[in-house]
Every structure is written in C-alpha cells, then in structure tokens.
Amino acid sequence: MSDISSAYPPPVIQFPKALEPFYFATENFRGDYFGTTTTRGEHYFRPLPHEMVTIGFTEDVYFPGVFIGSGVKPLGLFCAAGSHDVFETMFRLYGGDGEKTWNFEIEHVPQGLEWVEVAPGEIIASEAVYFEIVATSDPQQACDGYYRQLRRQGLFERRKSNPLQRQRIWGSWNFGPMQHVTQEYVLRQLPVLKERFPSVKFVQIDDGYERPYPSGQRAQIDLLYGKGGSYDPVKFPGGPRELVRQIKAHGLRPATWLGFWAAGTSPMMQEHPDWVLRDDMGRPLVYRSHFAAVTGGPYDLCVLDLSMPGVQAYLERLCATVFGEWGFEGVKLDFYSFAFQIRRARFGRGGRTAAQYLKWLEDLFRRHLPEDGFLGWCSAVGVGSPFQGQADYFRYAEDIGSGSWELAKRIALWTLNTNMLLREHPIVPNIDAIGWAPDFTMDQWLSFLALCAISGGTVEIGGDLGQLDDEKVLRMNQCLEMCDLSSRVRCLDVPGGKIGLPPAVWVSEKAGKVRMAAIINWADRARMIGTAALDQCCSDWRSMTKVWPSAARVRAKGVELPAYGSLLVRR
Amino acid sequence: MARVEFLKDEVGWVNLRPYAVISGPAGARAHAYSIGVEQKRAGGGWWFGRGSRIMVRRLYGCGGFDG
C-alpha cells in the first residue's frame, strides 16, 4: 500500500475481501462466440478480479448485468441495464485496493458506431441502470426488485399478444431431415399434428427450402433478390403459396425460417458488395461455412449492413412478400445478432446505433406479421436478455439438432446460465425443440424432457411425427402443456467451482410457490441425490404427483436414481 | 457534480460520479460514457432513469464542455 491517493478517485464497489466476493455474469460460462466460435465456459462464478474484466463486451446475446455475492454470508450486489434503446451497457471491474474496494465503471457504448455526434445544446439520454443490495448470495434470488421496475417500464407488454402462450410450434429442422426438408415431408406431418398434438398450431418450415445457386450454395436472406424464384422447385414443387394453402387447409398456421445473412455466391452479393457490413478496419464481416452448402463448400455468408437504403428496401419487400403475399404468420429469424453485436462492426452510414437498427428490424417484421403472429429471435448461442423487444421467443443454448445425451447436458448448463439472472420472461425463453432421438435411451430421453418441462420454455417439437408411438406422443404433449411464461426455474445445487455435471435439483416456481420439481441424475452411474435444499424450499414435494413413471426411490434424505434417471413431480 | 453512494452495512457502490456532461459545440464526439445521477428508489434498489444526462468520458473535436 502507498500513501498516494488520487484527487479524483474512481467509482468503486465496496465489498471487503473478508466476505470472499465473487461475481456472476452470463459471459463467465458462455464466453465469446463470434470471434472464436467457442462456447465452452467452465465456471459460473469467478472471484472479483485484479485484472481488467469488461462485462457486456462479448458477442452474441448475454444478460446485461452483474451480480456480486459473498462466499461466506447471504449478501450481494446486483447491477443491470434498465433499458436498451440506444447504447450497450458495459460493466468494468479492474482491481482495487486489495482489501475493501474494487474499481468499477459503467459505460454506455454506441455499438456499431465509432462515436455519436452531439449538436450544440443537445443532451443525449443515457440508458437506465438499476442497483440493489440484496440479502442473498444466490443470483437467482437477487432480481425481484429489478423485474418489478422493468414491468412498470412496460417491458412485458408483448406478452398480452404473444400467441405462443397457447399455440405451440412444429419445426422441420430438429429431430428431422434438417436441410433436406421437402414439401412431402412437411405435408405428411399436417394430419398427425392435427390429430395427435392439439396444442401445436404453427408449422415452421426451417432452412433447406430455399433455391440453390449454380455455385452449390443455397440462398439465405437473399432468396427474393433478382430472378430465379425463391423456393427450391425440386424439393418444393408447389412453392410457398401452395405450402401455405395446404397448412391453412388443415387448420394450422404457416411459419417460416429466415437466415439473416446473405449467401456469398448470390446475385445480391455479386451486384452489391457494398451491402455487406464492415468492421472498424473496413473488412467485410463474412463467415465461412458448409452451412447452406447444397454441394461443395465451404462458402461465404455475409452479414448485411442495415444502414444501407438498398438493404432496407429489400427487407421491406421481403417481408411484404413472405407475410403479405404468401401468408406466413410466424418467423424464426436465425443468425440475427451478428450485425448488432459484433463489437468491431461499423455501419456504413452513421447516425444510428446497433440497438436502434435492431429496433428498426423488429418494427419491420411486426408491421408485416399479424398481431397474433410470432417473431422468434435465434442467435448462434444466445443467453438471455430482458430486452428482446416485441419478439415472442428467443432460442437460447445450443441447437438440439438430432439430439444426444451430451447435448442435453450442455443444454441443462445453458438453461441455468440463461435463467440465473433472467428470472422473469418478457418473451418465451425457447429451449429449442423436443422430439424423439434414437441416440437417447428411454431414461435419457425422459430426463431431457424433464429438463425441458421444468425450464418452462418448451414451445417447439420436431421430427417425423407419424413414427412416434403413443407413449412418446403423450410425453411430448405433457411437456408442451407444462410450458408457462410466468413460471421461474431455479436450481438448488448450482456448481460453485469448475463445472462438472449439470445441477441435479431444479424447481419451477409460480407466484412464489413451487409448482414442479425435477431431480435429474446426469451421471452414467446410479446415484443418491440429496434433497435437503428441496425439503427446505418445498416441504411437501414428496406428496406431489409424478408426471410420468420413474424408477426413482424417494428416501428420507434424498432420491436414489439409476444412471441417467430422473423424477419429475408437479402439483 | 453530485457524488453518489449506495451503501448498506459493509457493501455497496461508492463515488459513482460522472466524468463530464456534454453540452459542447457542433462536432463534439463522444466515445465512451459513464452514467447519470438522477436516481430514485425503485423496486427495492435504485434506478437511474433514461432521462439522466449522458456523461462523456472522452471527447474529440470539442471546444468546450461542462464537466
């Protein structure tokens, strides 16, 4: 220590070292994505750092806030963005006095711009920020006041019209043919949906329907640019209008997937290289992948610059066609977040920030969709943010794809990360689809369904439904029925150090009461899982109803479960 | 300029003081920001509203500012 002190000391967090402070931010576990394409964090919690850490600077969707808790007593500080209209909110920790205080800054950054210009006399409004000192060291219990305030700000308004609270989705990608989807495959599902999945109303055609280019690459958001049709005429001989007509004829609602980047070999990119968003060094923001490759590859996928008038006009026409002329009533907008969260992205025509262009995009889709249609955000590996605008769902975690036990475990870890601070849900936190996968054993599959059910965010199914036996149909319908936007999921055994297996004990709460509980053995051997924490928060869980059969043996101090087994109970 | 402290027992936020407030001439360019000071009690915590004036930490091409 030195006796030198600054005349202008920095803002600090006061949190004595003796209290063993740690911090949680969703980025601890998620890590960066766009730059590194890695998503494999190993910790939820980290000690307060002496090195500089900026929370809110990583890419893809994250929660814009931080929780600092004590490792020795129930005490914490919670701080989060209160709005996201213009600026990104970032929180910087950078050392401290080593005893009592930790340097702490908040920055509001005009993402997508180098700077903002301020006219003479003009004052720019900042984003709102919320602070609270809480009597808990569990971030899952630190945010009630924050959400009360967000509710007053009108953040939950879209929930009134969100159709997914009652109407679920069948999607063609997961547990299905993925990019090999055909008209025949989709139409084959319609009578099965109608007859066996009464809560499913939307039929969502995922990637794979678009026309291929001579290059071997499939169209993405550019599917309506120029001549040559939009749909693949071999896979979808009837085209979009016939597809929509058939879906509606079955009393169902058509929805579509749109990939919010342009195929690098498309006429759009050949004629308008200036439509590609660039970084702060003028380099085009391009990804290379076999995704969207019909043959050959890998090919470039280009992020569009929304500040370009031509891009705006094209998207306006796209929406007018897809929703107005063709009649789709819902959209999964995939890969949507690159343009708004690549930190080095710079819009070609300055003046509006990424948050403002995102709002423009959201308004565009809302204007063309029916009021009770859905807008779904899907990013590569998003976590959760309360600021998802007037959308109806956001897909978090990883793509379940064809399904596997290893993926189910990862999704469990994501579910906790997403819900740790996103305690209430202005829109549906979509865990991705459920469906049968032969790679699962029956025990593994039911445990995955238990996770999906207790997450409260299961609105989507997938797969070739005619292949399912009665029991699988029943379990999937039960799982869909348990989706509830107003429920909150909480883990009672959150891993404190390096993460091994996902947490075993989960509860779903509504109006302060436990409505469901799940105990899941993620291990590949039988285990006794202690339930002391569950007994404490819900003394009558043993008398709740088993949702489906389980080999669990309930004991006085815990539950004995076979490898991969689980117990799901509800009131 | 106001100095803001939220403290309870031994923990809290201290000296959440803004750096500068923009009211400069045309061409002032703000690069990074701190937060405003118009807070109120809300929810159980403190809320800095959207109406807070933005605080600018670094300025480019700005002949003068109030901060």
Side-chain angles (χ1 to χ4, degrees), chain A residues 9 14 107-108 116 129 131 148, chain B residues 12 14-15 33 43 46 48 57:
Chain A
Q14 184 168 302
E107 284 193 10
H108 286 141
V116 289
V129 183
F131 298 85
R148 273 199 299 276
Chain B
V14 179
N15 195 27
Y33 308 89
W46 293 269
F48 279 81
R57 188 143 65 85

Side-chain angles (χ1 to χ4, degrees), chain A residues 383-401:
Chain A
V383 188
S385 161
F387 305 107
Q388 306 266 9
Q390 297 300 301
D392 298 291
Y393 80 64
F394 70 96
R395 205 283 305 274
Y396 71 87
E398 295 171 52
D399 198 324
I400 185 67

Side-chain angles (χ1 to χ4, degrees), chain B residues 6-23:
Chain B
F6 304 146
L7 273 169
K8 190 176 174 186
D9 302 327
E10 66 264 67
V11 301
W13 294 268
V14 179
N15 195 27
L16 282 167
R17 189 169 56 179
Y19 293 89
V21 179
I22 267 204
S23 58

Side-chain angles (χ1 to χ4, degrees), chain A residues 60-376:
Chain A
D60 213 346
V61 184
Y62 53 88
F63 184 90
V66 59
F67 175 80
I68 294 151
S70 166
V72 296
K73 64 191 277 191
L75 188 60
L77 307 179
F78 173 63
C79 183
S83 61
H84 181 222
D85 296 338
V86 180
F87 301 102
E88 309 300 309
T89 300
M90 296 183 178
F91 304 89
R92 181 170 300 114
L93 299 162
Y94 56 113
D97 69 3
E99 292 298 326
K100 189 174 171 187
T101 63
W102 309 82
N103 299 328
F104 178 70
E105 289 180 348
I106 299 173
E107 284 193 10
H108 286 141
V109 173
Q111 172 63 36
L113 303 175
E114 284 289 343
W115 56 70
V116 289
E117 293 203 10
V118 184
E122 182 186 2
I123 289 175
I124 307 172
S126 66
E127 300 298 335
V129 183
Y130 182 83
F131 298 85
E132 189 170 353
I133 299 168
V134 288
T136 179
S137 51
D138 179 356
Q140 299 174 106
Q141 297 185 294
C143 313
D144 286 359
Y146 175 64
Y147 287 100
R148 273 199 299 276
Q149 184 61 13
L150 291 186
R151 201 175 286 276
R152 285 191 203 113
Q153 302 292 314
L155 214 71
F156 289 73
E157 286 303 298
R158 175 62 200 165
R159 264 175 50 167
K160 291 175 191 159
S161 308
N162 187 330
L164 304 178
Q165 303 206 72
R166 294 172 307 283
Q167 303 178 0
R168 312 302 193 214
I169 304 165
W170 173 84
S172 64
W173 184 271
N174 295 309
F175 305 103
M178 299 186 172
Q179 70 271 27
H180 303 297
V181 62
T182 62
Q183 176 179 300
E184 185 277 327
Y185 175 75
V186 175
L187 297 183
R188 182 151 38 96
Q189 311 308 317
L190 304 182
V192 189
L193 283 169
K194 192 75 186 149
E195 189 181 332
R196 308 191 80 188
F197 292 92
S199 67
V200 176
K201 297 295 178 200
F202 286 102
V203 176
Q204 177 178 282
I205 318 302
D206 213 296
D207 183 39
Y209 64 84
E210 313 94 313
R211 62 172 159 161
Y213 295 121
S215 63
Q217 192 178 24
R218 186 167 59 247
Q220 297 288 287
I221 199 70
D222 44 283
L223 82 161
L224 276 169
Y225 186 89
K227 295 175 181 167
S230 51
Y231 269 47
D232 184 327
V234 176
K235 294 160 78 179
F236 287 83
R241 284 185 176 83
E242 173 61 12
L243 192 62
V244 165
R245 191 191 68 75
Q246 293 261 18
I247 293 169
K248 288 185 175 176
H250 281 81
L252 298 165
R253 306 183 68 190
T256 191
W257 177 96
L258 291 172
F260 197 54
W261 51 14
T265 62
S266 63
M268 174 191 276
M269 288 297 96
Q270 285 159 16
E271 293 173 22
H272 290 290
D274 57 318
W275 284 9
V276 182
L277 188 60
R278 291 174 183 268
D279 71 8
D280 55 353
M281 293 178 70
R283 299 173 299 187
L285 289 169
V286 173
Y287 289 83
R288 183 157 289 183
S289 175
H290 281 92
F291 184 87
V294 180
T295 55
Y299 298 107
D300 287 352
L301 293 153
C302 308
V303 181
L304 293 182
D305 183 345
L306 282 186
S307 73
M308 293 294 168
V311 172
Q312 293 179 8
Y314 171 75
L315 292 174
E316 185 82 47
R317 181 168 72 81
L318 175 93
C319 285
T321 304
V322 171
F323 308 115
E325 292 178 25
W326 294 350
F328 284 100
E329 299 180 2
V331 62
K332 172 184 181 180
L333 193 63
D334 207 350
F335 303 107
Y336 84 96
S337 58
F338 291 99
F340 311 108
Q341 293 194 337
I342 292 175
R343 294 294 166 216
R344 298 185 67 169
R346 297 291 181 266
F347 294 109
R349 300 185 179 204
R352 282 198 276 183
T353 63
Q356 291 171 308
Y357 279 119
L358 181 60
K359 178 74 168 56
W360 178 88
L361 186 69
E362 171 200 316
D363 287 346
L364 172 71
F365 277 91
R366 279 266 75 105
R367 196 154 25 87
H368 288 279
L369 282 163
E371 173 64 16
D372 66 344
F374 77 79
L375 169 58

